[in-house]
């Protein structure tokens, strides 16, 4: 049997090396490309193409969603498996909609990762319960928004409210400061959670820091 040729793209070297070391234990896997960015991966693909790409979503230059789009435009036959810490439905739904063949959480165990790779190689896709549920909700929902991995696509009002949330202000305090209703603030807060794929104020604060909207010192001891 010909080995399954793999590529991995992730900006965290320790994670890349961990995955590579795990997959080395299987003789039918051959990791032919290791890249720290989508741009580096695109350059490597000019020389050789793997059967499957393991792709992180949150990367500094080109994020995984845009990377998936660019790669499949050039290599339509390429099979991409998303590997991400994001588990919100909108991340899964939109990544699969772009053409990914599977979506796995980064805490996946070794056997499940092997199974997913083998299934994608043999059948062209791998669906677990989480993916199936996210796809169903995505099809049924009219409000499942495309996720954003940086602050560039937030509206000025959303950025303003995000800043206040990260500074520990309550909905009523934000409403009073901006002369809007508490319900409007609640709506903006939910919108921010949906857009960023986060689940609470703490993860919103992490998003704000990683996006460069706020510094760690500005968030400080509010969380």
């Amino acid at each position: 049997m010909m080995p399954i040729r793999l590529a991995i793209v992730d900006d965290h070297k320790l994670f890349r090396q961990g995955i590579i070391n795990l997959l080395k234990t299987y003789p039918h896997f051959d990791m032919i490309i290791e890249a720290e960015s989508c741009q580096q991966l695109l350059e490597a693909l000019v020389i050789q193409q793997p059967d499957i790409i393991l792709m992180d979503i949150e990367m500094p230059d080109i994020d995984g969603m845009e990377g998936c789009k660019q790669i499949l435009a050039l290599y339509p036959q390429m099979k991409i498996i998303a590997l991400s810490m994001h588990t919100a439905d909108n991340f899964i739904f939109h990544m699969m909609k772009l053409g990914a063949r599977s979506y796995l959480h980064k805490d996946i165990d070794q056997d499940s990762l092997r199974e997913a790779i083998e299934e994608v190689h043999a059948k062209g896709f791998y669906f677990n319960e989480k993916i199936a549920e996210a796809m169903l909700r995505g099809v049924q929902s009219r409000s499942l928004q495309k996720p954003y991995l940086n602050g560039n696509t937030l509206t000025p009002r959303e950025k303003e409210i995000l800043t206040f949330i990260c500074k520990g202000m309550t909905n009523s305090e934000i409403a009073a400061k901006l002369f809007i209703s508490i319900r409007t603030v609640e709506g903006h807060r939910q919108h921010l959670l949906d857009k960023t794929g986060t689940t609470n104020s703490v993860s919103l604060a992490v998003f704000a820091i990683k996006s460069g909207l706020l510094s760690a010192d500005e968030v400080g001891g509010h969380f």
Side-chain angles (χ1 to χ4, degrees):
M1 183 176 68
M2 293 289 291
I4 301 173
R5 298 167 302 164
L6 303 171
I8 183 167
V9 52
D10 192 292
D11 60 322
H12 293 98
K13 185 174 182 178
L14 191 61
F15 179 79
R16 289 199 312 272
Q17 288 298 316
I19 293 295
I20 290 169
N21 288 336
L22 283 178
L23 296 180
K24 277 182 179 177
T25 63
Y26 302 107
H28 59 300
F29 291 156
D30 182 14
M31 185 68 68
I32 64 171
I33 297 175
E34 176 189 355
E36 64 180 7
S37 68
C38 282
Q39 184 57 47
Q40 191 176 78
L41 175 65
L42 285 165
E43 292 169 2
L45 291 177
V46 175
I47 301 171
Q48 57 181 344
Q49 288 89 52
D51 299 304
I52 296 173
I53 297 172
L54 304 175
M55 176 178 284
D56 187 18
I57 291 181
E58 193 167 2
M59 290 181 286
D61 61 340
I62 303 171
D63 65 55
M65 287 182 287
E66 179 60 28
C68 182
K69 190 188 304 182
Q70 291 187 22
I71 289 167
L72 293 179
L74 294 169
Y75 310 98
Q77 80 288 354
M78 194 68 68
K79 299 180 178 72
I80 296 173
I81 297 176
L83 272 176
S84 177
M85 290 301 296
H86 294 285
T87 59
D89 286 351
N90 55 343
F91 277 86
I92 299 172
F93 178 73
H94 285 284
M95 194 66 180
M96 297 296 289
K97 189 177 177 182
L98 284 170
R101 305 303 183 95
S102 189
Y103 190 109
L104 306 175
H105 192 262
K106 280 190 172 182
D107 68 356
I108 189 170
D109 62 75
Q110 182 174 349
D111 288 337
S112 297
L113 178 58
R114 173 194 54 77
E115 179 185 357
I117 292 171
E118 290 173 348
E119 286 281 305
V120 167
H121 185 256
K123 299 180 180 179
F125 62 90
Y126 174 79
F127 273 33
N128 55 25
E129 186 176 345
K130 178 67 176 174
I131 298 172
E133 290 175 352
M135 293 299 290
L136 179 61
R137 285 191 285 264
V139 171
Q140 292 176 337
S141 174
R142 295 182 178 180
S143 60
L144 196 62
Q145 297 196 35
K146 177 183 176 182
Y148 297 102
L149 296 166
N150 58 59
N152 296 335
T153 48
L154 299 181
T155 67
R157 177 64 95 187
E158 287 169 343
K159 290 180 182 179
E160 189 175 31
I161 290 177
L162 175 61
T163 299
F164 293 145
I165 291 171
C166 293
K167 291 184 176 181
M169 293 176 64
T170 65
N171 288 349
S172 58
E173 288 172 337
I174 297 171
K177 187 173 184 65
L178 297 177
F179 303 102
I180 57 178
S181 71
I182 294 176
R183 179 169 291 185
T184 300
V185 176
E186 291 171 347
H188 280 300
R189 182 188 287 267
Q190 187 58 53
H191 215 190
L192 284 166
L193 293 173
D194 292 340
K195 272 191 171 184
T196 59
T198 53
T199 56
N200 53 42
S201 298
V202 175
S203 50
L204 272 175
V206 173
F207 171 85
I209 293 169
K210 293 180 74 172
S211 301
L213 296 173
L214 291 172
S215 69
D217 289 338
E218 288 177 296
V219 174
H222 298 301
F223 299 100

